[in-house]
Amino acid sequence: YNTSLTRTIPTALSVARNNLAATSIGNYALFGGGYNRDATAYDVVDAYNTSLTKTIPTALSVARRKLAATSVGNYALFGGGSGNGYRATVDAYNTSLTRTTITDLSVARWELTATSVGNYALFGGGRISEGLFNYVYYNTVDAYDASLTRTNPTVLSEAKNSIAATSVGNYALFGGGMGSGSYATVDAYDASLTRTNPTALSTSTSRALSISVGNYAVFIINGSDMITDVYNQSLTKTSSKDANRGWHDRGGATTVGNYAL
């Protein structure tokens, strides 16, 4: 979709897959990792430039699914995931799509979430499995600066996976998720990586969509009603409910121009 919301269909991804991760850097949108119905993980990365021409840069250093991606400075980062074991690996692509492999995450895990604020890319939460229905959830946050140096700020207030994350103003927000239950907590990190906890989401959720548009961070919550929680740059929350729309699951969201889709 362009900034007038006209839709075109560019060249397809090089391989059909789910549970991949996407981010942007310079003149490129990147889609990396994922797996197929046979649970075969992929290392492939597809890159689209501003003319929607697709190229295939160097693959991820390890095939994996349910990884997370975000950008900081001149780098797009793909971190964590699972493929022949849980991964702490982080691959960085620069604006020329040259790949380097940087310091690992502090904990190997999948179903983590990533977003950016100021000079930092943040990877938060996640889980591993130690047997059938025996899950270990993490509240770990790994932060990489624009020089790709890793630090570990204050952990999330709860250990959980499948968190919704986005940024607004001087804050990166991690909301909802699932651990031993579903959570409504929102953790906000400022550009100095100081954590605060603004008003929680309207209801516990393990499958929220999150996106930023203009001066707002938006969380759309799955349920019998569609609840939208909106945080402004001061982290003040407003909410709305649409009883005629609900039960979306595993959607995706991004922005173009003045629109969030």
Side-chain angles (χ1 to χ4, degrees):
Y1 292 84
N2 65 17
T3 55
S4 300
L5 300 186
T6 301
R7 191 195 77 189
T8 57
I9 302 177
T11 305
L13 297 172
S14 54
V15 60
R17 57 206 197 267
N18 65 7
N19 286 290
L20 63 168
T23 190
S24 301
I25 192 67
N27 292 321
Y28 294 95
L30 284 73
F31 297 82
Y35 78 124
N36 63 17
R37 289 185 175 183
D38 297 324
T40 299
Y42 291 104
D43 59 4
V44 65
V45 176
D46 293 294
Y48 293 83
N49 66 16
T50 53
S51 299
L52 300 184
T53 301
K54 187 188 81 179
T55 58
I56 303 177
T58 303
L60 298 172
S61 58
V62 61
R64 48 211 158 113
R65 57 178 173 148
K66 296 189 178 182
L67 65 167
T70 191
S71 300
V72 62
N74 292 318
Y75 296 95
L77 306 183
F78 291 84
S82 174
N84 193 25
Y86 297 104
R87 298 294 181 176
T89 308
V90 181
D91 292 309
Y93 291 83
N94 66 15
T95 54
S96 299
L97 301 184
T98 301
R99 192 202 78 196
T100 56
T101 301
I102 63 175
T103 304
D104 282 357
L105 299 171
S106 56
V107 179
R109 57 204 196 269
W110 73 347
E111 294 184 347
L112 66 169
T113 308
T115 190
S116 300
V117 62
N119 291 320
Y120 293 97
L122 284 74
F123 293 82
R127 70 167 179 162
I128 64 171
S129 174
E130 293 187 337
L132 187 62
F133 304 119
N134 182 19
Y135 303 121
V136 176
Y137 300 93
Y138 291 99
N139 58 3
T140 307
V141 177
D142 293 290
Y144 293 84
D145 65 19
S147 300
L148 304 183
T149 301
R150 195 198 80 197
T151 57
N152 290 97
T154 304
V155 298
L156 298 171
S157 54
E158 297 168 319
K160 51 190 177 179
N161 69 302
S162 298
I163 306 166
T166 192
S167 301
V168 62
N170 292 319
Y171 294 97
L173 281 69
F174 292 85
M178 180 173 60
S180 56
S182 294
Y183 298 109
T185 305
V186 176
D187 293 291
Y189 292 83
D190 66 18
S192 300
L193 300 184
T194 301
R195 194 199 80 190
T196 56
N197 291 100
T199 305
L201 298 175
S202 297
T203 184
S204 296
T205 177
S206 61
R207 297 283 182 199
L209 277 175
S210 57
I211 191 62
S212 296
V213 60
N215 296 321
Y216 299 96
V218 181
F219 291 83
I220 301 173
I221 300 169
N222 184 20
S224 55
D225 300 326
M226 187 171 74
I227 299 173
T228 303
D229 287 328
V230 178
Y231 294 83
N232 66 16
Q233 294 185 81
S234 300
L235 301 184
T236 301
K237 189 190 84 172
T238 56
S239 298
S240 62
K241 180 187 291 187
D242 187 342
N244 297 315
R245 295 172 65 87
W247 293 116
H248 66 82
D249 190 27
R250 299 174 189 263
T254 191
T255 57
V256 59
N258 293 321
Y259 295 95
L261 283 71

